[in-house]
Amino acid sequence: MGILSWRNLVAGLSAMATLSAAALPASADEWRTTSSLIAENAETAPFERYPYVNPDAPKGGTLNSTAFGTFDSFNPFIIRGTPAAGITQVWETLMEQSPDEAGTSHALIAEAFKYPDDYSSATYRLSKDARWHDGTPITAEDVIWSLNVLKEISPQYSGYFANVKEAVALNDHEVEFRFDQTGNRELPHIMGDLYVLPKHWWEGENAKGQKRDIRNPTLEPPLGSGPYKVKSFSPGNRVVYERVKDYWGEKIPVNIGRNNFDELVYTYFQDDNAAFVAFTKGGIEDVRRELSTRRWAVEYKFPAFERGDVIKREFQQGGVQQMQAFVFNMRLPRFQDRRIRKALTLAYNFEEQNRLQFFGMNKRLSSYWENSELASRGLPEGKELEILEPFRKDLPPELFIEEFKLPVFDSRTAERDNLREAVKLFDEAGWAIKDGRMVNKQTGEQFKIEFLGGSPTSEVIAGGLIQTLRRLGIDASLRIVDTSQYVQRYQAFEFEAITAGFPQSESPGNEQRDYWSSKAADSPGSRNVPGIKNPVVDALIDKIIYAKDREELVAATRALDRVLLWNYYAIPQYYQPTMRFAFWNKFGIPEQQPRYIGVDLMSWWVIPQREAAIEESIEVEAGK
């Protein structure tokens, strides 16, 4: 579950869905302060704070970060415009998704919620302390307006909350969400993921007397309710957020020991190489998640690192590993043939790329729910087989009799076999190699693929595959565009091939419609990047959404995973088994970090003496 990324999630995870704090199954009249879909009846103590935080962490200092490309809007809820980095920290959701437990949410704007046994509705009770930065209380009217307008303007929200028939204010601080169905056990919980926006501000006028419109981009700093607000900005170059000194929610459990920095600064760069150089000099980026294995292995030799001002540290990955994959746009006829997609998969030599470019430090992805019980494995059996059986005639026959395995390039023989099989599949699909070119047997047109990239890193990711495709006679190329154009083309599905990410949670649900449904395939801004239109996939999504219990949810998710893999909708790439961070040694860091997301930067704090010493070192180095 989850619409926008959790507001403090540094790894880009979409931690979704929610876990229970009730010692016993709650009745329809029992208010809950924490919710669960994974362990609804688990006995837990009252939630007081996250166990990994330092409740006495001091406030102060600055967290400097980098962002890429540019920005031209403080409105992240629409497709138009490029929103500023960090902007979602200005607002809050009804519940806070936990960084520590898979699928857990705790009270935030809503202090509690309840729902009936048939899951036909959910009632959320707002904290009477919750208020906007201008001092105005947050009310049920704000919640209802937010739901309605976000469903209207956001493709993601319109799908995620599609089954919410109406929201009704029972009083100023209670909202009842009524659903158009019963039996969807996820719906009452995911209402906690709703961002609440200030109706009075968005329907008001700006300083120039112009009426605001949430349907359009804006560079007017927005009114929020969260721990930070926009302090200053330079359009496209830099944005600074300041901690709200009288933040209403500072002492509620989810915020204890967190949000410790006085300022959050984001500076924009056009590519990662320039950002890394800036990091080595200091003062621009304080904490860097290093995604380049080559850089991690051989490029940390600069003066600040050698004198101990910069530290490298690996953190354990938690939860589902994000699927990162090459995606071919099936809205284009030449990628609609499964044989073509399988042939392209056979051309990807991960082993060589990992050895030559990644120092053997990456692992191959083989599931959309890697590193979880939701990943398909072996042959379908038990409840999963029972779910798949009615669709047997519409599925690849090998799905039922073979374990899904990606091609392995561990020898010259394996390489020849994989590429020979790829050529055979192209031939079956109506393509043949003539004069060194893979051409259509009827038209003579050469098979062409243009990969779209947003930075020079795209050359590292796609370069090896492009070279192999050229060996097969395919006209393969890479086009790198600026970040703004890349985002716009990505959202509008204006590409032939691209690298896409599909973050998942351990409790999938309504958001699967946005990822894979036939309807989402034609909705710009949806996460159905490949353009999947498959009735079986649509049916399996419903199986997930209407799962009666955890066992059925796991089986349905494995079935969907298996169908996605065997249809070769994407070529799985790789992931890093640990989270690699480098940071300037000015921080206090809790001994433990959250189990689920691995790193929570908002639980760190600045040690003034170290910060001052590092700033002095930077000045000395710059003066040399």
Side-chain angles (χ1 to χ4, degrees):
M1 292 185 262
I3 299 294
L4 298 173
S5 298
W6 175 60
R7 62 187 174 90
N8 294 327
L9 184 57
V10 297
L13 284 167
S14 239
M16 312 172 201
T18 43
L19 285 180
S20 150
L24 295 172
S27 69
D29 295 326
E30 184 175 345
W31 291 99
R32 309 161 185 242
T33 58
T34 302
S35 65
S36 171
L37 286 171
I38 296 178
E40 284 188 281
N41 301 331
E43 185 173 351
T44 60
F47 178 67
E48 296 179 353
R49 62 174 173 84
Y50 293 120
Y52 62 88
V53 303
N54 172 11
D56 300 316
K59 307 290 185 183
T62 299
L63 175 62
N64 294 294
S65 302
T66 57
F68 296 99
T70 185
F71 72 93
D72 58 11
S73 177
F74 288 131
N75 183 354
F77 303 106
I78 57 175
I79 296 176
R80 292 176 55 205
T82 303
I87 189 60
T88 55
Q89 296 174 106
V90 169
W91 302 284
E92 296 170 308
T93 49
L94 288 170
M95 307 280 280
E96 172 85 323
Q97 296 178 4
S98 170
D100 195 48
E101 296 178 84
T104 303
S105 286
H106 299 292
L108 188 55
I109 288 178
E111 64 183 14
F113 82 116
K114 62 181 180 179
Y115 56 88
D117 293 337
D118 65 356
Y119 308 105
S120 61
S121 66
T123 302
Y124 277 73
R125 186 177 71 210
L126 310 184
S127 169
K128 293 183 180 179
D129 294 328
R131 66 182 187 273
W132 304 108
H133 294 155
D134 65 1
T136 304
I138 299 175
T139 66
E141 186 178 7
D142 290 313
V143 176
I144 295 169
W145 182 84
S146 299
L147 174 69
N148 292 336
V149 76
L150 290 176
K151 285 182 66 176
E152 175 193 341
I153 67 176
S154 166
Q156 293 182 1
Y157 270 103
S158 64
Y160 197 56
F161 295 128
N163 298 115
V164 184
K165 180 173 58 178
E166 62 177 339
V168 178
L170 303 182
N171 54 55
D172 283 349
H173 292 89
E174 289 186 18
V175 179
E176 182 178 88
F177 300 101
R178 297 170 182 171
F179 309 138
D180 64 4
Q181 57 189 220
T182 58
N184 186 338
R185 59 193 291 267
E186 180 194 46
L187 272 175
H189 300 262
I190 66 172
M191 300 313 303
D193 295 336
L194 176 66
Y195 272 93
V196 182
L197 308 175
K199 177 184 178 183
H200 71 284
W201 190 85
W202 283 103
E203 291 190 340
E205 297 179 345
N206 61 24
K208 298 179 180 179
Q210 300 167 329
K211 188 171 179 58
R212 301 184 180 99
D213 186 353
I214 196 171
R215 296 159 187 80
N216 292 319
T218 179
L219 278 174
E220 180 184 9
L223 178 68
S225 63
Y228 290 91
K229 62 181 179 181
V230 177
K231 177 183 180 181
S232 62
F233 66 97
S234 171
N237 297 314
R238 193 169 187 260
V239 58
V240 180
Y241 301 91
E242 62 179 341
R243 186 166 58 85
V244 178
K245 298 298 191 294
D246 60 347
Y247 170 46
W248 73 271
E250 182 173 348
K251 295 184 179 180
I252 62 176
V254 295
N255 290 322
I256 292 175
R258 303 176 68 238
N259 306 315
N260 301 316
F261 306 108
D262 277 350
E263 289 190 349
L264 307 176
V265 180
Y266 294 86
T267 303
Y268 277 77
F269 286 83
Q270 292 303 310
D271 66 74
D272 188 51
N273 291 327
F276 178 70
V277 172
F279 172 74
T280 67
K281 304 299 182 183
I284 297 294
E285 185 177 29
D286 295 327
V287 182
R288 176 182 178 85
R289 184 175 182 189
E290 188 55 78
L291 299 177
S292 167
T293 51
R294 171 177 294 276
R295 187 176 290 135
W296 183 262
V298 302
E299 295 185 23
Y300 278 80
K301 297 179 180 179
F302 49 91
F305 179 76
E306 293 174 345
R307 66 175 178 260
D309 283 347
V310 170
I311 304 293
K312 287 169 61 179
R313 179 174 169 183
E314 296 186 54
F315 295 87
Q316 291 302 309
Q317 294 268 24
V320 183
Q321 297 305 303
Q322 173 177 306
M323 169 62 81
Q324 177 178 300
F326 296 110
V327 170
F328 301 96
N329 193 345
M330 292 192 299
R331 300 166 187 85
L332 304 175
R334 64 184 178 279
F335 298 120
Q336 291 172 3
D337 192 316
R338 175 178 173 271
R339 293 169 296 186
I340 294 295
R341 300 194 301 272
K342 182 177 180 180
L344 295 172
T345 300
L346 285 162
Y348 178 43
N349 189 339
F350 163 75
E351 285 71 28
E352 183 176 73
Q353 185 181 36
N354 195 35
R355 176 173 55 85
L356 296 180
Q357 296 180 318
F358 303 144
F359 296 82
M361 296 169 68
N362 288 340
K363 290 187 176 182
R364 187 79 190 267
L365 287 156
S366 59
S367 168
Y368 287 83
W369 281 269
E370 189 80 34
N371 193 41
S372 80
E373 66 172 339
L374 301 170
S376 58
R377 59 200 70 178
L379 298 179
E381 58 184 15
K383 190 174 287 291
E384 182 193 351
L385 180 58
E386 181 182 322
I387 290 171
L388 287 169
E389 192 62 49
F391 309 108
R392 181 182 284 267
K393 66 180 179 61
D394 298 313
L395 292 171
E398 55 266 45
L399 180 149
F400 293 94
I401 58 176
E402 295 180 26
E403 180 180 0
F404 181 82
K405 291 184 179 180
L406 291 165
V408 176
F409 287 72
D410 55 0
S411 67
R412 290 293 183 185
T413 300
E415 180 179 12
R416 286 194 297 270
D417 290 345
N418 289 331
L419 297 184
R420 188 179 298 116
E421 178 65 18
V423 171
K424 178 182 176 183
L425 288 168
F426 266 104
D427 183 71
E428 292 175 3
W431 300 79
I433 298 178
K434 293 183 179 180
D435 299 325
R437 300 164 71 243
M438 180 71 73
V439 298
N440 187 285
K441 294 178 183 180
Q442 294 182 348
T443 67
E445 175 191 7
Q446 185 177 12
F447 198 97
K448 174 180 174 294
I449 305 176
E450 179 187 80
F451 289 79
L452 182 68
S455 76
T457 304
S458 301
E459 297 179 17
V460 176
I461 296 174
L465 177 58
I466 289 174
Q467 291 302 318
T468 303
L469 294 176
R470 288 173 177 171
R471 288 172 56 192
L472 295 178
I474 294 171
D475 180 10
S477 61
L478 171 66
R479 182 179 182 184
I480 297 177
V481 297
D482 65 76
T483 304
S484 179
Q485 185 180 355
Y486 178 83
V487 171
Q488 291 174 9
R489 290 185 59 177
Y490 187 101
Q491 292 180 332
F493 309 132
E494 294 175 354
F495 59 85
E496 296 179 359
I498 203 166
T499 291
F502 302 95
Q504 294 285 358
S505 78
E506 293 188 19
S507 188
N510 280 20
E511 79 288 341
Q512 298 306 305
R513 290 171 175 156
D514 193 51
Y515 277 113
W516 323 115
S517 74
S518 298
K519 181 180 179 181
D522 295 323
S523 299
S526 81
R527 291 178 283 193
N528 190 345
V529 183
I532 298 170
K533 290 184 177 182
N534 186 332
V536 176
V537 171
D538 292 336
L540 292 176
I541 292 171
D542 282 345
K543 291 286 186 182
I544 291 173
I545 292 172
Y546 296 108
K548 296 180 176 62
D549 51 37
R550 180 68 183 175
E551 181 186 6
E552 187 173 319
L553 176 71
V554 171
T557 305
R558 288 179 179 176
L560 176 60
D561 185 38
R562 196 179 301 274
V563 169
L564 294 174
L565 291 170
W566 275 105
N567 276 288
Y568 296 96
Y569 291 130
I571 303 178
Q573 295 177 1
Y574 43 80
Y575 70 100
Q576 296 180 354
T578 59
M579 301 173 72
R580 301 162 189 150
F581 278 82
F583 53 89
W584 286 79
N585 190 20
K586 70 175 190 178
F587 298 103
I589 304 174
E591 291 185 11
Q592 300 295 325
Q593 282 291 279
R595 294 169 293 176
Y596 186 50
I597 69 165
V599 174
D600 176 11
L601 283 184
M602 304 313 288
S603 70
W604 296 19
W605 64 93
V606 168
I607 300 175
Q609 298 88 339
R610 288 189 192 173
E611 185 174 54
I614 285 174
E615 288 175 353
E616 183 177 348
S617 296
I618 292 172
E619 291 178 2
V620 169
E621 186 70 27
K624 287 183 179 180

